[in-house]
Amino acid sequence: MEDKKAREILEHYKYEQNQLIHILQDIQTEYRYLPRETLSFVSRELKIPLSRVYSVGNFYNAFSLKPKGRHLISVCLGTACHVRGGKRISEEIERVLNVKSGGTTPDQEYTLETVNCVGACALGPVIVVDGKYHGQMTSAKAKKLLSAMKDSGGNGKNGKNKKS
Ligand code: FES
């Protein structure tokens, strides 16, 4: 099946097999995951075995073979965040969004995941929303943040930017 967006990405990388990781990164950015049909298309166009395309897709954590929501919420459960209540925060978010960690809400708005240390332990507990770090998190603050996101359809702009 022709995939116009994937075609543009392949053209950008001049169909070079050694650009496979970059190609998959761009596809992931475009679709927020790696659709099965697109991977088959890439495999055919680059003349790379599908098994190899999948093995790259499976190897890197940044890639997802399952659809993700418009907003990605990552709750840190690394040691520093865990001991400061990270688990309670993740449970609160699960409750508010009615989705289990690792899952996506049925409206495809939110994907919730837990991660191990995002490198900002001093700010813990930390959650990362669409790439923005929110430190000294509490269940109440998480609830407020989600409610602000739902109200604005935004991405929690009030949080701190990337760790410094
Ligand atoms: S353990 Fe959460 S940022 Fe390091």
Side-chain angles (χ1 to χ4, degrees):
M1 177 180 119
E2 175 71 18
D3 184 322
K4 202 161 167 269
K5 286 174 183 165
R7 170 79 66 202
E8 285 169 14
I9 292 168
L10 288 167
E11 281 170 1
H12 177 75
Y13 290 100
K14 302 183 177 17
Y15 293 82
E16 287 181 20
Q17 292 184 348
N18 62 6
Q19 294 296 316
L20 180 59
I21 290 177
H22 296 295
I23 289 166
L24 295 186
Q25 278 171 338
D26 285 10
I27 289 170
Q28 168 85 33
T29 303
E30 186 66 43
Y31 293 103
R32 300 197 302 272
Y33 80 112
L34 301 176
R36 184 195 310 247
E37 317 77 56
T38 305
L39 294 185
S40 299
F41 178 73
V42 167
S43 157
R44 280 197 307 277
E45 293 296 316
L46 291 186
K47 299 180 178 39
I48 291 177
L50 186 57
S51 58
R52 198 173 130 219
V53 176
Y54 266 99
S55 71
V56 173
N58 272 318
F59 186 76
Y60 294 96
N61 283 339
F63 294 137
S64 171
L65 298 171
K66 285 195 302 192
K68 288 209 173 185
R70 202 158 67 88
H71 299 295
L72 175 61
I73 302 170
S74 308
V75 181
C76 182
L77 290 185
T79 308
C81 290
H82 196 279
V83 298
R84 294 180 195 150
K87 185 73 183 154
R88 274 197 307 279
I89 294 165
S90 114
E91 285 166 358
E92 179 68 10
I93 297 174
E94 283 183 342
R95 198 186 61 71
V96 172
L97 294 180
N98 196 21
V99 68
K100 285 281 171 206
S101 176
T104 297
T105 53
D107 61 2
Q108 302 287 310
E109 278 293 301
Y110 302 94
T111 293
L112 176 63
E113 64 179 18
T114 54
V115 291
N116 285 319
C117 192
V118 292
C121 306
L123 296 177
V126 176
I127 71 171
V128 184
V129 179
D130 296 334
K132 291 189 177 177
Y133 283 57
H134 299 261
Q136 277 106 43
M137 191 46 61
T138 63
S139 298
K141 279 162 86 174
K143 204 169 157 185
K144 219 166 144 188
L145 180 62
L146 290 173
S147 151
M149 285 175 73
K150 282 185 173 175
D151 287 349
S152 69
N155 62 359
K157 293 181 199 108
N158 298 330
K160 287 181 181 157
N161 277 333
K162 285 257 188 200
K163 64 190 177 202
S164 52

